[in-house]
Amino acid sequence: GNHWGYGKENGPDVWHKNYPVALGSRQSPIDIPHQVSHDPSLGPIVLDYDHCTSINICNNGHSVVVNFDDTDDRSVIHGGPLENPYRLSQFHFHWGGKGCDGSEHTVAGNSYASELHLVHWNAVKYKLFDHAAAAPDGLAVVGIFLETGDDHRWLHTITDAMYMVKYKGSATDFKGFNPKCLLPSSLHYWTYLGSLTTPPLHESVTWILLKEPIAVSEKQLGKFRLLQFTGEEEDQRLRMENNFRPPQPLKGRRIRSSN
Ligand SMILES: CC#CCNS(=O)(=O)c1cc(S(N)(=O)=O)ccc1C(=O)O
Ligand SMILES: [Zn+2]
């Protein structure tokens, strides 16, 4: 059928036909304006990833995803706007085409080359990820902007594995990767209540966007674009790029800044 994607016929502008919440009141991504209210009561965000266990890296036809064992609390984030610890489930990226930007959130109207999303779920309140993913306080996604510059010394482990997951539906072992190595030096952040940026677009995400981008090289970004939206058996070979949803209406929401 007409599965959702990022093309002309199945892209963000028509997602609302199958996912009416696309027109809802807390959709993501958004543009972060110049002036955001600084909330002194917002504490630091804490990422406890020391015992995290990555399992595999896969191409789900929309992005490249690294999945984690989230059967216990070995890697969680807490603090900041969160009332519970949230368990790391997976991380993935959104990016543009050659020379074009591809972040989802924008800052004062400016896009970055790419955006990394670390997806966490509230396993204190919800038994299953899917339950949390549909609950207003179910998910917490940390967003990190990628800008082009020097090579990122740790991103190589991910870009080097991409030739193994070129086609939709492919996966390969990817153990022992700790995403702490992808964090910028500052954990200052913006936070607001939003949604998944892909269908089902559930309004279940507390977004925590780090202000400081990380630098990756054009060469490393180029390896993302070797991935394909399509499966090995499909005759259409669609390069995986521009897999980002544009900013959505703020609809009166408050965005808070940590400091
Ligand atoms: C039910 C359900 C669900 C959502 N799954 S996800 O949170 O891992 C996710 C989150 C996001 S994002 N861009 O909103 O963080 C994108 C894609 C996915 C995904 O299905 O792979
Ligand atoms: Zn995402």
Side-chain angles (χ1 to χ4, degrees), residues 10 29-30 32-33 46 61 75 87 94 102 119 130 149 151-152 161 172 175 181 192 202 208 225 234 258:
N10 63 359
I30 59 170
I32 307 292
V46 180
S75 47
R87 234 178 241 178
H94 303 264
V119 180
D130 280 6
D151 237 35
H152 191 290
T172 190
K175 296 207 171 28
C181 65
Y192 76 97
H202 291 324
I208 298 165
R225 297 187 200 105
E234 294 180 60
S258 66

Side-chain angles (χ1 to χ4, degrees), residues 126 128-139 196 200-205:
Y126 306 100
L128 298 173
F129 176 90
D130 280 6
H131 293 174
D137 60 350
L139 300 180
L196 298 171
L201 298 170
H202 291 324
E203 297 188 326
S204 58
V205 181

Side-chain angles (χ1 to χ4, degrees), residues 92-94 104 115-117 119 141 197-198 207:
H92 62 273
F93 300 82
H94 303 264
E104 298 212 296
E115 190 171 329
L116 160 61
H117 290 158
V119 180
V141 182
T197 67
T198 67
W207 279 96

Side-chain angles (χ1 to χ4, degrees), residues 118-134:
L118 295 144
V119 180
H120 309 75
W121 60 287
N122 186 341
V124 170
K125 278 187 75 172
Y126 306 100
K127 272 203 177 7
L128 298 173
F129 176 90
D130 280 6
H131 293 174

